């Protein structure tokens, strides 16, 4: 083997080693690039998850606030409706209280209530207009007293001597 063969062989081995080193370096670079891409993807995914979680918290809070506001508006509407109903009912009370069916029913209502206060010297307060209708019923209960009070609403207020009211 001659010198030229030896040089050629050394050059070939050197070239093979350079290629092997280049291939190893390329593989290492590709591995680093892949690891970097995975790290970037993971970091991006975590960042997006955090952003999504933050947006979800804000969305949940806004949704809860909207629900509370809607419920408050609903309650306000119910309150307004009940106020209108009560206003209308109060406006009808004088008319109903002056009606014959109401005057006929009032003694039976008193009759139902009086046994609960029997022996407690009850006072029956009512407007003067209702007194004649109630006197007979009150007279049947010992110690019961009729008190004319035009400040009471139509109907009766029955008080025991101890101050309890029915």
């Amino acid at each position: 083997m001659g010198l030229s063969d030896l040089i050629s062989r050394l050059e070939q081995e050197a070239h093979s080693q350079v290629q092997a080193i280049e291939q190893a370096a390329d593989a290492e670079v590709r591995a680093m690039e892949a690891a970097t891409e995975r790290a970037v993807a993971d970091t991006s995914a975590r960042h997006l998850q955090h952003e999504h979680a933050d947006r979800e918290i804000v969305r949940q809070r806004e949704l809860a606030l909207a629900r509370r506001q809607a419920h408050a508006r609903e309650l306000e509407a119910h309150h307004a409706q009940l106020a209108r109903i009560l206003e209308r009912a109060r406006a009808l009370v004088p008319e109903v209280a002056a009606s014959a069916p109401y005057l006929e029913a009032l003694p039976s209502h008193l009759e139902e209530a009086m046994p609960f206060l029997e022996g407690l010297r009850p006072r029956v307060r009512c407007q003067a207009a209702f007194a004649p209708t109630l006197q007979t019923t009150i007279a049947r209960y010992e110690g019961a007293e009729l008190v004319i009070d035009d400040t009471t609403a139509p109907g009766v207020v029955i008080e025991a001597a101890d101050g309890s009211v029915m």
Side-chain angles (χ1 to χ4, degrees):
M1 187 183 265
L3 186 60
S4 67
D5 286 336
L6 185 59
I7 291 176
S8 177
R9 210 182 227 190
L10 285 174
E11 282 178 352
Q12 214 175 21
E13 282 181 22
H15 183 63
S16 293
Q17 284 180 348
V18 166
Q19 278 184 336
I21 291 172
E22 283 177 351
Q23 287 174 350
D26 284 345
E28 197 172 320
V29 166
R30 281 193 300 277
M32 286 179 175
E33 286 173 344
T36 301
E37 287 176 12
R38 282 192 305 274
V40 167
D42 289 346
T43 302
S44 294
R46 279 194 307 273
H47 179 71
L48 289 175
Q49 285 175 339
H50 287 297
E51 281 184 358
H52 177 72
D54 291 345
R55 281 193 309 271
E56 183 63 18
I57 289 168
V58 169
R59 189 186 72 76
Q60 289 293 330
R61 285 181 183 156
E62 289 172 349
L63 184 60
L65 176 62
R67 284 182 179 146
R68 282 193 305 272
Q69 289 171 341
H71 186 66
R73 285 190 303 273
E74 183 180 358
L75 288 175
E76 288 170 0
H78 285 300
H79 179 49
Q81 181 182 25
L82 288 174
R84 287 190 304 273
I85 291 168
L86 285 173
E87 183 179 327
R88 177 69 177 135
R90 286 186 186 111
L92 293 174
V93 167
E95 181 183 330
V96 171
S99 70
Y102 183 77
L103 290 173
E104 291 171 14
L106 196 54
S108 65
H109 292 304
L110 181 60
E111 189 71 47
E112 287 178 32
M114 289 300 283
F116 292 101
L117 297 173
E118 204 164 343
L120 298 175
R121 298 185 336 264
R123 287 185 302 271
V124 178
R125 290 188 299 124
C126 67
Q127 295 175 0
F130 299 114
T133 307
L134 300 174
Q135 282 179 335
T136 306
T137 304
I138 293 169
R140 286 199 295 264
Y141 291 92
E142 188 177 324
E145 172 187 2
L146 177 63
V147 176
I148 305 299
D149 182 357
D150 285 325
T151 64
T152 61
V156 295
V157 176
I158 308 170
E159 301 172 313
D162 65 2
S164 56
V165 177
M166 184 157 188

